[in-house]
């Protein structure tokens, strides 16, 4: 089953992947990923998703937890959280589906009491792999995608919710639980990361008091709201430097910093090198033979 899914994903990636190895599908939220070589550390803030690893190996650190997952494994991320990841074995291939809290809420209401489940990482349930396979097979018949994809995406959410990852995923299904409330504040932070955002405004977006919001935000993301915004700014600044060739000072001001020296200090703490040295080292890796 996994080999067949791997072959379909590989075929899609080879036909549609961009320079970073990402190949979006016509199905919203469904992405295939390929890397031909092992990578350095990659910082990001992941949205709620499930990742099915089909080839190679990847190590992901979320807060204090570090997990290596291999073919046949899946990783579930149930909140917008900062991650540090690294592809450790290549070629690497995976299939990623963004989780839809509205679908999970509907299913949770219909299912009622859910069985106990495991943590966010582990072997992919057979039902999840089978549904993912049928979802990818739709791509070979484009006319079927708009008619059939929604029910298969819903089915995939169902198997995730009732399978080994159920305990980790069910928080997203609460109609007005803390995870959903924090997600509203995270959406505001993502949209306006380059502007000052008083905690009172974020707490209001989440429908919580400031003290309650601070607590639940840290539980969900492992960071304070200010730290989360800082991560967003630094990750975007690094993208601007690496992808668009923007100078460090221009990147700093573009993401909302008022002080280049403060930007440089915080960038170095997060990525291990000052901005320009980091940019140069990345360029050297790209230019290196092989």
């Amino acid at each position: 089953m996994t080999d067949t899914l791997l072959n379909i994903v590989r075929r899609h990636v080879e036909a549609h992947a961009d320079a970073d190895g990402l190949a979006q599908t016509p199905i919203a939220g469904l992405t295939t990923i390929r890397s031909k070589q092992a990578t350095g550390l990659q910082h990001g803030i992941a949205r709620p998703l499930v990742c099915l690893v089909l080839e190679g190996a990847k190590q992901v650190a979320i807060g204090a937890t570090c997990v290596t997952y291999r073919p046949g494994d899946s990783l579930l991320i149930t909140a917008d959280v900062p991650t540090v990841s690294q592809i450790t074995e290549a070629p690497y291939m995976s299939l990623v589906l963004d989780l839809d809290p509205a679908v999970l809420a509907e299913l949770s209401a219909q299912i009622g009491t859910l069985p106990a489940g495991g943590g966010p990482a582990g072997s992919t349930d057979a039902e999840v792999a089978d549904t993912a396979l049928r979802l990818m097979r739709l791509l070979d018949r484009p006319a079927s995608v708009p008619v059939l994809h929604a029910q298969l995406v819903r089915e995939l959410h169902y198997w995730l919710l009732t399978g080994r990852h159920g305990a980790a995923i069910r928080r997203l299904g609460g109609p007005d639980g803390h995870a959903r409330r924090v997600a509203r504040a995270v959406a505001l932070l993502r949209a306006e990361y380059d502007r000052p955002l008083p905690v009172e405004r974020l707490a209001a977006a989440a429908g919580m008091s400031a003290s309650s919001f601070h607590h639940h935000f840290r539980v969900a993301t492992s960071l304070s709201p200010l730290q989360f915004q800082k991560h967003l700014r630094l990750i975007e600044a690094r993208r601007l430097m690496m992808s668009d060739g923007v100078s460090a000072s221009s990147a700093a001001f573009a993401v909302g910093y008022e002080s280049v020296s403060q930007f440089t200090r915080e960038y170095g703490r997060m990525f291990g090198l000052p901005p320009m040295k980091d940019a140069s080292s990345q360029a050297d890796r790209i230019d290196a033979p092989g």
Side-chain angles (χ1 to χ4, degrees):
M1 180 69 70
T2 301
D3 289 341
T4 305
L5 180 58
L6 172 61
N7 291 338
I8 293 177
V9 169
R10 180 183 287 123
R11 185 166 67 246
H12 182 77
V13 165
E14 290 175 351
H16 302 286
D18 61 17
D20 295 322
L22 301 179
Q24 303 292 339
T25 74
I27 299 168
L30 186 67
T31 306
T32 59
I33 300 174
R34 174 191 65 187
S35 180
K36 295 181 179 179
Q37 57 190 11
T39 67
L41 296 177
Q42 299 171 328
H43 293 72
I45 294 184
R47 299 179 186 275
L49 57 82
V50 62
C51 175
L52 279 60
V53 179
L54 307 173
E55 186 176 30
K58 188 171 188 177
Q59 187 175 81
V60 178
I62 303 173
T65 303
C66 187
V67 178
T68 296
Y69 52 112
R70 303 178 182 280
D73 292 340
S74 57
L75 176 76
L76 189 73
I77 295 178
T78 58
D80 295 75
V81 293
T83 62
V84 182
S85 62
Q86 182 177 21
I87 293 171
T88 54
E89 295 179 19
Y92 170 83
M93 198 90 62
S94 66
L95 179 66
V96 176
L97 176 70
D98 293 342
L99 297 175
D100 187 334
V103 173
L104 291 172
E106 178 191 352
L107 290 170
S108 296
Q110 292 182 2
I111 295 169
T113 303
L114 293 167
S123 299
T124 303
D125 287 315
E127 296 87 353
V128 171
D130 174 67
T131 309
L133 173 61
R134 287 184 281 124
L135 195 57
M136 286 299 297
R137 279 178 172 160
L138 294 183
L139 304 185
D140 292 331
R141 298 182 177 181
S144 71
V145 172
V147 179
L148 299 177
H149 84 276
Q151 64 196 57
L152 286 175
V153 169
R154 188 174 184 275
E155 181 182 345
L156 189 52
H157 280 68
Y158 172 84
W159 292 122
L160 288 167
L161 193 59
T162 58
R164 72 176 69 246
H165 296 300
I169 199 176
R170 68 189 58 175
R171 292 195 307 271
L172 284 174
D176 198 31
H178 295 137
R180 296 286 294 277
R181 292 186 178 197
V182 168
R184 296 200 290 267
V186 167
L188 180 58
L189 278 164
R190 284 186 178 274
E192 301 185 24
Y193 67 88
D194 56 342
R195 307 175 195 175
L197 283 170
V199 69
E200 291 78 12
R201 186 181 172 201
L202 294 170
M208 299 180 183
S209 67
S211 59
S212 178
F213 171 70
H214 259 291
H215 169 73
H216 291 294
F217 191 96
R218 186 177 285 277
V219 168
T221 69
S222 78
L223 298 173
S224 71
L226 183 61
Q227 290 170 329
F228 192 96
Q229 184 181 40
K230 185 187 300 183
H231 274 64
L232 286 171
R233 288 180 170 183
L234 292 172
I235 289 167
E236 174 60 13
R238 192 171 195 250
R239 187 197 67 78
L240 290 171
M241 293 169 57
M242 303 300 175
S243 301
D244 300 346
V246 172
S247 69
S249 58
S250 295
F253 293 131
V255 300
Y257 277 88
E258 297 180 356
S259 166
V260 175
S261 60
Q262 180 185 2
F263 167 73
T264 300
R265 287 194 303 273
E266 294 181 352
Y267 188 103
R269 289 193 201 107
M270 183 164 175
F271 298 116
L273 288 172
M276 295 314 296
K277 284 188 177 180
D278 187 33
S280 297
S281 68
Q282 292 296 319
D284 290 343
R285 288 175 193 165
I286 292 171
D287 294 339

